[in-house]
Amino acid sequence: MHLLTIIWTLICAAVIIGYPLYLLNKSASVLKSHRENSTRKEPNTVELLSFDITEQLPGWSFSLDVPQITEQILRENPVLFYLESEDTCLKLPLNNARMGYKANVYKNVGKVYVTFKSLKDGVSHFYVPNWHLSKLKVLIIKSKDKRIYGKQQASPSKSVIDKNLTKAGININDYEDVLGYLSNIASIDFKGHYIAKMPKRKKIPTVCPKPLKPIKEEEVYATI
């Protein structure tokens, strides 16, 4: 009788101790599987967008609506910009000594701004002629591949991309070279070619003054 009691007690103790351990191991395996699935679902793509900017030139700046640049993209993904000029593409930001200007690019949620300043003083506006530039090409890098970021984790910093592409023997200023290298790592998702219209200026409504009410002759006499 005592032996059966001891055996039953040991069985109960094993169940009490083993079941929580079983649940713990099961939850750990489920969590690991979820993480692996999440990792697999991360896009291994590079989004490519092209904008025709000829309608916004000549001018010293232009702005574009780019809804693909979300708040998450700004936090997590690098974005590269190239201006198409004649038979080449110029990486932004840039100093164009031949034309005498420097160009900077600024991005915000859903917006891209490009400005041109004179190299002489770095302050004066430089008006780019419409024959000089034709397109702005945007590369949104969503791939997390180590061949792009090196040993570092994915970062929105362009300096990380520049450094690691240079290590790989890629000329970061050469658009075709960069696009060819990225296409061997991730799929290029071409989002389309858009025509950037010149923003319309808001018309200020002209308020016509109300005509003065004619004063009757008797009213004039009454005020004297």
Side-chain angles (χ1 to χ4, degrees), residues 23-42:
L23 292 177
L24 183 63
N25 290 332
K26 185 177 181 180
S27 62
S29 63
V30 170
L31 181 60
K32 182 180 179 181
S33 177
H34 175 71
R35 287 176 178 174
E36 289 177 352
N37 290 333
S38 299
T39 302
R40 292 192 199 103
K41 289 178 182 178
E42 286 183 356

Side-chain angles (χ1 to χ4, degrees), residues 45-84:
T45 60
V46 175
E47 291 188 359
L48 169 61
L49 300 99
S50 175
F51 295 88
D52 186 324
I53 59 173
T54 53
E55 291 193 22
Q56 295 210 33
L57 298 176
W60 64 270
S61 69
F62 65 83
S63 63
L64 302 173
D65 291 323
V66 188
Q68 289 82 0
I69 299 180
T70 62
E71 188 173 346
Q72 183 179 359
I73 292 294
L74 292 176
R75 289 197 314 267
E76 300 177 5
N77 302 90
V79 184
L80 302 179
F81 300 92
Y82 291 86
L83 283 170
E84 186 172 310

Side-chain angles (χ1 to χ4, degrees), residues 122-185:
V123 178
S124 304
H125 296 329
F126 184 94
Y127 286 82
V128 176
N130 56 1
W131 56 263
H132 175 53
L133 300 174
S134 58
K135 298 183 184 72
L136 176 72
K137 296 183 177 181
V138 183
L139 292 172
I140 302 174
I141 302 175
K142 291 187 173 181
S143 173
K144 305 296 183 183
D145 197 287
K146 291 183 179 179
R147 285 172 289 179
I148 298 176
Y149 299 93
K151 294 181 180 180
Q152 300 183 37
Q153 292 183 348
S155 166
S157 173
K158 288 189 295 185
S159 61
V160 173
I161 299 294
D162 291 5
K163 182 179 178 181
N164 287 290
L165 290 184
T166 302
K167 279 185 178 180
I170 305 302
N171 181 5
I172 192 68
N173 295 307
D174 188 326
Y175 170 76
E176 297 295 338
D177 203 13
V178 171
L179 190 63
Y181 180 74
L182 293 176
S183 66
N184 291 325
I185 297 173

Side-chain angles (χ1 to χ4, degrees), residues 164-219:
N164 287 290
L165 290 184
T166 302
K167 279 185 178 180
I170 305 302
N171 181 5
I172 192 68
N173 295 307
D174 188 326
Y175 170 76
E176 297 295 338
D177 203 13
V178 171
L179 190 63
Y181 180 74
L182 293 176
S183 66
N184 291 325
I185 297 173
S187 60
I188 306 299
D189 184 7
F190 181 61
K191 290 297 184 180
H193 179 70
Y194 307 91
I195 297 177
K197 299 288 186 180
M198 177 67 75
K200 293 182 179 180
R201 295 182 179 180
K202 293 183 179 180
K203 293 182 179 181
I204 301 174
T206 54
V207 180
C208 297
K210 293 182 180 180
L212 295 175
K213 183 180 179 181
I215 302 175
K216 294 180 181 180
E217 189 175 352
E218 58 266 21
E219 291 179 349

